[in-house]
């Protein structure tokens, strides 16, 4: 079994993707992370859903989570409006961390070691045929656990 066999297909996005579009993609694909490509098509970063959710929260709620318990559903429309107004570029760091990338021939053990070393729950499976990146998908820790157990 290799990375290409375990990879979950995903639809990559660009930095100019609206946050609400990214959320829709994550939900439809049930993806473990959102893969963002650079303008030249190379993997730029992998964004976990929690990062996107956090970006849509109003600043007061991010600063004081107990506030969310008090206001309840009153700010739900604010979260939706923020997601409509923001681009991925608005919520990612200026220099996002590079995603862990493995080749299609990577073994499950290699992928697990990369996850452990980088602290990432997901690796990107990328084939660099003809020096052009071809994203085959992602492999998350749960998939590796299913492989082993």
């Amino acid at each position: 079994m290799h990375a290409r066999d375990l990879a979950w297909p995903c639809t990559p996005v660009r930095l100019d993707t609206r946050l609400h579009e990214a959320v829709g993609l994550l939900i439809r694909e049930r993806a473990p992370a959102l893969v963002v490509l650079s303008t030249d098509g190379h993997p730029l970063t992998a964004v976990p859903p929690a990062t996107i959710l956090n970006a849509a929260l109003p600043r007061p709620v991010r600063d004081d989570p107990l506030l969310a318990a008090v206001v309840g559903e009153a700010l739900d429309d604010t979260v939706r409006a923020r997601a409509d107004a923001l681009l991925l570029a608005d919520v990612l760091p200026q220099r996002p961390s590079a995603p862990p990338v493995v080749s299609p021939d990577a073994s499950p053990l290699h992928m697990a070691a990369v996850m452990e070393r980088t602290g990432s729950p997901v690796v990107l499976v990328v084939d660099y045929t003809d020096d052009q990146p071809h994203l085959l998908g992602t492999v998350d820790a749960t998939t590796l656990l299913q492989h082993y157990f």
Side-chain angles (χ1 to χ4, degrees):
M1 186 84 43
H2 295 97
R4 73 168 48 83
D5 306 313
L6 295 170
W8 183 267
C10 66
T11 304
V13 296
R14 307 262 180 197
L15 288 171
D16 62 352
T17 301
R18 294 232 169 260
L19 208 57
H20 78 273
E21 292 173 41
V23 169
L25 186 62
L26 282 168
I27 292 168
R28 279 191 310 281
E29 294 188 356
R30 302 187 61 78
L34 187 67
V35 178
V36 181
L37 299 181
S38 65
T39 55
D40 61 0
H42 291 272
L44 182 63
T45 192
V47 184
T51 299
I52 294 172
L53 180 61
N54 185 50
L57 296 177
R59 170 82 52 207
V61 173
R62 280 186 276 163
D63 292 344
D64 184 5
L66 292 178
L67 179 61
V70 175
V71 297
E73 297 175 10
L75 292 177
D76 285 357
D77 288 336
T78 303
V79 171
R80 290 181 190 97
R82 282 183 57 79
D84 284 341
L86 294 172
L87 301 175
L88 280 174
D90 298 329
V91 302
L92 294 179
Q94 192 71 17
R95 290 187 174 185
S97 59
V101 174
V102 298
S103 78
D105 295 323
S107 70
L109 189 59
H110 178 207
M111 290 182 284
V114 169
M115 287 179 191
E116 194 283 324
R117 183 176 46 83
T118 62
S120 175
V122 65
V123 294
L124 308 185
V125 182
V126 180
D127 186 8
Y128 281 94
T129 305
D130 302 325
D131 294 330
Q132 293 298 317
H134 301 281
L135 177 67
L136 301 181
T138 61
V139 177
D140 64 353
T142 302
T143 300
L144 291 180
L145 289 171
Q146 289 173 336
H147 170 74
Y148 283 114
F149 302 102

